[in-house]
Amino acid sequence: MNIKFVVVGKLKEKYFKQGIAEYAKRLSRFCKFSIVEVPDEKAPESMSQAEMDQVMAAEGERILSKIKDREYVYALAILGKERSSEEFAKEIKDLTTYGHSDITFVIGGSLGLTPAVLKRANTQISFGRFTLPHQLMRLVLTEQVYRAFMINEGSPYHK
């Protein structure tokens, strides 16, 4: 099984890198885990809607170029469906049972994801209505994917 994150921007903070590295190491017994970073579009502080759309479109094209046809795609979106950890674990288990061995999670840049990326996604997932920095979201998502495998294994980690 392959789990891939396609994310906009580089991770600069050492403490996020360390946390993700720890969960990536733990995930290695369950799957091949990778993170693909696409460059974020340089943008001024205040932008018109047209400029924002242009930035999102450029980032969206970069994201889509990293997704293959066979991949099952989760787009992280505030308006996506919220799930409990148990529901998420069951979903991952069901996907692998029914032949989806390549699962990709997409985390957009600061402006979010374009309609084209959301359309390509098989489903949208939300971690609530909070706005979180995408660097932190990477760490949270990595932990939740690890938690899903632990739940499916019946491990006490989840308690």
Side-chain angles (χ1 to χ4, degrees), residues 138-150:
R138 253 193 246 191
L139 176 59
V140 170
L141 179 61
T142 309
E143 190 280 336
Q144 283 299 302
V145 169
Y146 173 69
R147 181 177 295 271
F149 281 106
M150 295 305 283

Side-chain angles (χ1 to χ4, degrees), residues 23-25 34 36 42-43 46 55 82 91 104 122 129 140:
Y23 286 112
K25 187 173 79 182
S34 62
V36 177
K42 299 294 173 242
S46 59
V55 166
E82 291 185 39
E91 227 173 271
T104 297
N122 298 85
R129 293 179 53 208
V140 170

Side-chain angles (χ1 to χ4, degrees), residues 45-59:
E45 278 298 307
S46 59
M47 291 185 280
S48 68
Q49 187 60 53
E51 289 170 318
M52 287 193 275
D53 291 345
Q54 208 172 359
V55 166
M56 286 173 53
E59 291 175 349

Side-chain angles (χ1 to χ4, degrees), residues 22-131:
E22 175 60 31
Y23 286 112
K25 187 173 79 182
R26 294 180 188 189
L27 274 169
S28 67
R29 62 184 259 232
F30 300 109
C31 64
K32 182 174 178 272
F33 176 72
S34 62
I35 297 177
V36 177
E37 293 178 333
V38 300
D40 53 352
E41 193 70 9
K42 299 294 173 242
E45 278 298 307
S46 59
M47 291 185 280
S48 68
Q49 187 60 53
E51 289 170 318
M52 287 193 275
D53 291 345
Q54 208 172 359
V55 166
M56 286 173 53
E59 291 175 349
E61 284 174 26
R62 291 179 192 138
I63 290 167
L64 291 171
S65 75
K66 302 298 181 189
I67 299 172
K68 294 178 178 61
D69 289 346
R70 71 176 184 279
E71 294 173 15
Y72 188 93
V73 178
Y74 281 87
L76 274 72
I78 287 178
L79 299 176
K81 180 182 175 217
E82 291 185 39
R83 296 150 169 88
S84 68
S85 293
E86 294 85 357
E87 289 166 337
F88 182 56
K90 182 181 182 326
E91 227 173 271
I92 297 292
K93 186 181 194 174
D94 290 348
L95 284 170
T96 56
T97 301
Y98 297 109
H100 292 285
S101 59
D102 296 304
I103 301 172
T104 297
F105 295 86
V106 176
I107 302 175
S110 58
L111 297 176
L113 296 169
T114 61
V117 173
L118 295 173
K119 186 172 186 270
R120 168 57 186 91
N122 298 85
T123 188
Q124 294 179 28
I125 187 169
S126 174
F127 284 77
R129 293 179 53 208
F130 286 112
T131 299

Side-chain angles (χ1 to χ4, degrees), residues 9-23:
K10 289 231 174 286
L11 195 57
K12 297 171 193 81
E13 296 83 355
K14 187 177 175 187
Y15 50 93
F16 286 139
K17 287 181 179 178
Q18 290 170 329
I20 291 168
E22 175 60 31
Y23 286 112

